Amino acid sequence: MFKVNDNYLKLPGSYLFSTIGKKVKAYQEAHPDKEIIRLGIGDVTQPLAPVIIQALHKAVDEMGDAATFHGYAPDLGYEFLRNAIAKNDYADRGCQIGADEIFVSDGAKCDSGNIQEIFSVDNKIAVCDPVYPVYVDTNVMAGRTGVYDPSSETWSDVIYMPCTAENDFVPELPKETPDLIYLCFPNNPTGSAITKEQLQVWVDYANKVGAVIIYDAAYEAYISEENVPHSIYECQGARTCAIELRSFSKNAGFTGTRLGFTVVPKDLKSGEVSLHSLWARRHGTKYNGAPYIVQKAGEAVYSPEGKEQLRNQVAYYMNNARVIKEGLQEAGYTVAGGVNAPYIWLKTPDKMTSWEFFDFLLEKGNVVGTPGSGFGPSGEGYFRLTAFGSYENTVAALERIKKL
Amino acid sequence: MFKVNDNYLKLPGSYLFSTIGKKVKAYQEAHPDKEIIRLGIGDVTQPLAPVIIQALHKAVDEMGDAATFHGYAPDLGYEFLRNAIAKNDYADRGCQIGADEIFVSDGAKCDSGNIQEIFSVDNKIAVCDPVYPVYVDTNVMAGRTGVYDPSSETWSDVIYMPCTAENDFVPELPKETPDLIYLCFPNNPTGSAITKEQLQVWVDYANKVGAVIIYDAAYEAYISEENVPHSIYECQGARTCAIELRSFSKNAGFTGTRLGFTVVPKDLKSGEVSLHSLWARRHGTKYNGAPYIVQKAGEAVYSPEGKEQLRNQVAYYMNNARVIKEGLQEAGYTVAGGVNAPYIWLKTPDKMTSWEFFDFLLEKGNVVGTPGSGFGPSGEGYFRLTAFGSYENTVAALERIKKL
């Protein structure tokens, strides 16, 4: 008689954004006349840039001709894309990352969920609190997190590193030594950044204690300040302790087009075993490559026109971030983020819980955001708004919030 | 100090098709003047059908306009595609499968590798021998297969079900009771089919012993004979014991476009726990949907023009299968498959091992095939050729083989 993976049954509730989706759907069905503005899920709204659309059309035409048709992609991704990534995202920033250390995938969510597979189930993870739920949930599914305590909403075998106003949303080194450390900067959900000196402390620590940092840099395109690293490989020694996850979702609007990549340096080893070879084995066995047409679209992101068009797209969203941040401040809210990231992290008013504020904002303002507590216990009393809406909707949402 | 997933280290050698690729590359570099014909990997060569190209262009244009732009896809896939699948692949064949039991993905390889995650590591798997390597390798990675014996090339905790000329390549029910049974029909690599009566025996058996059948029907479009089921849900009782994997790679040429789906009926339960809810949770947590443009291309597969154009494409490949089968028979080979599947399974001549014949064919005929032993111990002494080449190359390859 077959048995299920019991670890799945330990997961409390459903995936955060599914819950939000259901609540919003129920409200909309009960109030069909209300026009809801969604600043909740981190989904982009601007169309793909013209140069990307051109590249897609060209690649589609190639797929329609036997002479230029493309079947299975190379395991690690097409060289044209991996070379463009190696040059633009790494060499041009002074990072030594080879094209053969880059694994093209269908997005950072999948990679951030799958990467834990190549590690022992005995390994102990450390996560920021609050944190993108996928890091913890996928470790729960793997049986790495121990017992859940519903009262504190924490797992017994997870090291939580609080990120609060007190530490400017950058965690301190944990007291207990972890094996895997998930860091995401610019941060989702708090919108905070880490300086190069602060990140160097983490790299030195990981090398010292023999931990691996899984560095999620999905939002690096939104960095506006000097001395904020775009890649962890800007730090000395990161090649022996860090895996980096990157996405095309937020810098190029690929949330519905699906493309990302993971960097596993060949210097990252456990004894004689290189993590690069394990991840290559997983990629080759359980994955079959991103679509050719999408990889061609990814290549266009690095063209001169692509860079110019996407700089404007990022600027559009960051202008929304400014509108949200300034609007909230005018309305008397305490806010963080929004300078190097497309997320604004606000303190809920009147000691409301995060979900109370979610309901309040949905019902009174018809604006959807994300409850901070959905990202972890230290997110309680906070709330996330995203800059990924249209400018018009963002302005309208802030007008509504100011009137509450 | 972090530790790796030791199960990965148990895997012998590399993924079969990576090994073949390296051997062919080495031979080509040593003999740059030789023109190699590849009938090895199951990759298609015909371009995407015109109606699919049209659908892709249209969807690309939608992505370039804010009014019709698509961001994150719904967790389970777009309804337009799931409805088309439910109607055409199931309702029209008399199978009761709801659109909400269909999970759209980026391909059957990923799904066939990931599906084991929702089951306990204690579960015992049964596989056909020979078999598509992904089923076994992904269970090795999960720690479900015990100890590897290099001499027999088998795992201690896997139930192998030999498929040989003696049983017409359809396995007998195993003596030891499995929890998970992987079946693939029409079969890769043997090209054999199963009748509806034969498959009903398996469904009845699985329901009786409480096993789940993971049914890989990636090649159903190639079925030419009556009484060969296109879906396991044509059998009575399959809703309580079977998961079905389907692909757009072979019926529509999507190997480089990436689209597939998995059916998990809501009646499939372990006690009160539905496998549908577990797979939905996995999908929602570790996956982020197939690209919108690719899902629109998938929809076009089910249009009247799409069906017509793809019927011709399948006929093109099946004509190649006939050329291979008849050519090999003329040359004195013993062959199976090629009637309901795009694979021809031949017995190696002169008691050569599968890899000896691989080298012989590569070096003397400059033709690439796949060694049967790469699919499992009972594949030793066999060799797989695929019908996915161009007609011209297929004819040329057979001319070369006849001269050996």
Side-chain angles (χ1 to χ4, degrees), chain A residues 197-309:
Chain A
E197 290 70 29
Q198 286 175 315
L199 187 55
Q200 185 66 56
V201 171
W202 279 95
V203 169
D204 294 342
Y205 171 76
N207 275 321
K208 192 178 119 201
V209 302
V212 171
I213 297 173
I214 298 168
Y215 193 72
D216 185 344
Y219 299 96
E220 64 80 29
Y222 292 85
I223 293 171
S224 68
E225 293 184 317
E226 293 286 322
N227 204 29
V228 174
H230 288 251
S231 164
I232 195 168
Y233 303 114
E234 292 180 36
C235 295
Q236 290 287 327
R239 283 184 57 86
T240 54
C241 70
I243 290 170
E244 183 163 287
L245 311 174
R246 297 281 278 262
S247 167
F248 287 76
S249 287
K250 310 302 163 85
N251 64 324
F254 275 37
T255 53
T257 304
R258 311 305 314 144
L259 193 66
F261 61 91
T262 288
V263 178
V264 188
K266 292 187 177 175
D267 299 347
L268 185 44
K269 291 184 177 178
S270 170
E272 289 303 299
V273 180
S274 92
L275 294 187
H276 183 279
S277 69
L278 299 190
W279 189 240
R281 187 68 197 240
R282 191 203 178 277
H283 234 55
T285 305
K286 293 194 184 181
Y287 184 59
N288 228 337
Y292 172 73
I293 52 178
V294 174
Q295 294 197 48
K296 289 302 281 186
E299 185 188 27
V301 168
Y302 296 101
S303 67
E305 308 91 311
K307 286 180 190 176
E308 173 68 21
Q309 290 169 10

Side-chain angles (χ1 to χ4, degrees), chain A residues 143-200:
Chain A
R144 208 176 270 115
T145 56
V147 180
Y148 187 68
D149 174 4
S151 68
S152 67
E153 297 188 349
T154 58
W155 296 88
S156 60
D157 290 355
V158 172
I159 301 169
Y160 292 90
M161 306 183 293
C163 297
T164 58
E166 286 67 44
N167 55 21
D168 209 15
F169 305 103
V170 174
E172 284 123 50
L173 296 177
K175 291 192 183 71
E176 191 184 353
T177 306
D179 301 301
L180 303 177
I181 302 164
Y182 288 82
L183 293 179
C184 171
F185 286 103
N187 187 255
N188 172 17
T190 68
S192 59
I194 194 167
T195 66
K196 193 168 166 186
E197 290 70 29
Q198 286 175 315
L199 187 55
Q200 185 66 56

